[in-house]
Amino acid sequence: MELDQPQAAGVVSIAPDRVRSHVARILASPDFAAAPQLAAFLRYIVDKKLSGEEDIIKAYTIATEALGRSQDFDAQNDPIVRVQARRLRQSLLLYYASPGADLSLRVVLPVGGYVPEFVSPELAPVVTVPVAEPVVAKKESRPIFETKWIAPVALILSTLSMVLSLWPELIRYILGP
């Protein structure tokens, strides 16, 4: 395996073989194995970056060469590359946050572009994935009239109403003519 080579002050060039093996482990993870378009997107941009062709990593080339779109693809009318890039960023965050993830380096896809960056763990910022808070039902004050009493009270009131409306007939029936 090639060693990482220092370049300018604070910048480390990561060996291509190390990047390829790292990306292979990412692609073998369950989330990427279940998403072939996402895997193809990542594989394409990493291969182009490592081969020195980062200037051709554009929405059109990603769509036509990695995602299988036709040659008449129009990035202005079809957001597939932007959508997949957003999904890729999120999937990479989830991968690095998962237990058993290879943290020997990080593949980062900066917002606003498609050219990946390979960051050594010493230089990588710690990224936390927001976890949704559990939804807890807010306990409300008890209503004046509880709903479980509505039906019995309504039955009693309707019976009373019927008795009162039939009261004169009932009196005549009891007392006789």
Side-chain angles (χ1 to χ4, degrees):
M1 180 186 345
E2 295 178 40
L3 299 175
D4 297 340
Q5 300 296 320
Q7 288 181 335
V11 177
V12 176
S13 172
I14 299 173
D17 288 343
R18 182 175 169 205
V19 172
R20 283 187 181 92
S21 64
H22 179 78
V23 170
R25 285 189 290 280
I26 292 172
L27 294 174
S29 71
D31 289 338
F32 282 88
Q37 277 199 322
L38 219 50
F41 191 122
L42 179 60
R43 191 176 299 112
Y44 177 81
I45 62 174
V46 167
D47 287 345
K48 292 302 177 189
K49 168 83 175 197
L50 293 177
S51 65
E53 300 176 88
E54 64 185 68
D55 57 319
I56 68 166
I57 302 176
K58 307 280 185 215
Y60 178 81
T61 56
I62 294 169
T64 57
E65 295 179 21
L67 302 179
R69 292 294 197 258
S70 65
Q71 297 299 317
D72 63 346
F73 172 78
D74 180 11
Q76 298 299 321
N77 295 321
D78 189 348
I80 185 68
V81 178
R82 292 187 304 275
V83 170
Q84 291 294 358
R86 183 180 49 79
R87 283 187 59 216
L88 179 57
R89 286 182 194 100
Q90 185 66 30
S91 293
L92 286 170
L93 284 175
L94 291 172
Y95 170 78
Y96 290 120
S98 68
D102 177 9
L103 301 176
S104 62
L105 78 105
R106 287 186 184 264
V107 177
V108 178
L109 187 60
V111 176
Y114 306 118
V115 178
E117 294 175 0
F118 311 118
V119 183
S120 186
E122 305 84 48
L123 302 175
V126 176
V127 178
T128 58
V129 177
V131 178
E133 292 291 324
V135 177
V136 178
K138 194 176 182 182
K139 187 171 181 177
E140 297 180 16
S141 61
R142 297 180 92 185
I144 295 172
F145 300 107
E146 293 207 21
T147 56
K148 64 182 179 181
W149 294 105
I150 291 177
V153 169
L155 180 64
I156 290 170
L157 289 176
S158 64
T159 305
L160 185 60
S161 171
M162 185 177 70
V163 168
L164 290 176
S165 69
L166 295 174
W167 187 255
E169 295 293 324
L170 190 60
I171 295 295
R172 261 185 264 154
Y173 178 75
I174 293 174
L175 298 177

